[in-house]
Amino acid sequence: MTEKEKMLKGEYYDPQDPTLVHLRDNADNLMNQYNHPGGGDKGQLLDMLFGYHVEGLSIRAPFFCDYGINIRVGRNFYANHNCVFLDVAKITIGDDVLLGPNVSLITVNHPIDPEKRRQKLEYGKPITIGDNVWIGADVTVNPGVTIGENAVIGSGSVVVKDVPANTVAAGNPCRVIRAIEE
């Protein structure tokens, strides 16, 4: 199994594998152009970074990710300035999702075992965000988290566990505050 295959399966992998380094370098090149004023057609650069076209996609620069190719966003996605998507595992985002500035979606993790850490191994767990979610400023979503549709995550939250659909959640650690009533 290749290191990329291990990475996408959530197994320990070597991030210094030449194929993975090449993919990250390609993403860095595209993000440098995207984040540079006058760096080219922003929509085309995002299409190249993600590997597909998204209707209504708006991401304010600067924007940072590891690979780009492991990110799937739905229609009418908006991310404010300075968002970071560490996409060693899949990041799946539904339609009509809004992210405030400085939101971090972190799929990568490092071993607790110090010997494995010294080997520079990593692993990832996917993040899934449902339709019509609003995530406030300065939120960090940790590996393996699912946020249900229509949820609202308050600014400054650290999301370490799943958040149910139709709820407002906030805090560190993030927890449900109340249901969203129609």
Side-chain angles (χ1 to χ4, degrees), residues 49-70:
L49 182 63
F50 293 165
Y52 62 99
H53 178 74
V54 179
E55 179 185 327
L57 177 64
S58 179
I59 298 177
R60 305 286 306 271
F63 169 69
F64 305 96
C65 66
D66 278 332
Y67 298 96
I69 56 175
N70 298 322

Side-chain angles (χ1 to χ4, degrees), residues 4 9 19 22 31 33 36 44 61-62 69 74 78 85-86 103 105 128 131 136 139-140 150 153 161 163 177 180:
K4 182 180 177 186
K9 285 186 167 223
T19 299
H22 172 75
M31 283 181 296
Q33 292 176 63
H36 185 270
Q44 183 179 22
I69 56 175
Y78 176 81
F85 294 8
L86 299 186
V103 169
L105 305 179
T128 303
D131 294 341
V139 170
T140 299
N150 304 316
I153 308 297
K161 294 183 180 177
V163 175
I177 296 172
I180 296 174

Side-chain angles (χ1 to χ4, degrees), residues 72 77 85 91-95 97-99 103 105 127-135 141 145-149 151:
R72 294 285 174 261
F77 173 73
F85 294 8
I91 295 175
T92 305
I93 300 171
D95 295 337
V97 172
L98 305 171
L99 302 185
V103 169
L105 305 179
I127 291 174
T128 303
I129 299 171
D131 294 341
N132 202 36
V133 169
W134 172 26
I135 298 178
V141 179
V145 167
T146 295
I147 298 173
E149 66 182 21

Side-chain angles (χ1 to χ4, degrees), residues 29-50:
N29 179 44
L30 292 169
M31 283 181 296
N32 285 336
Q33 292 176 63
Y34 186 82
N35 293 329
H36 185 270
D41 181 305
K42 302 293 189 200
Q44 183 179 22
L45 289 168
L46 287 175
D47 290 353
M48 291 168 57
L49 182 63
F50 293 165

Side-chain angles (χ1 to χ4, degrees), residues 16 75 84-85 90 93 126 132 176:
Q16 296 309 312
R75 293 183 316 277
V84 175
F85 294 8
K90 294 282 185 198
I93 300 171
N132 202 36
V176 174

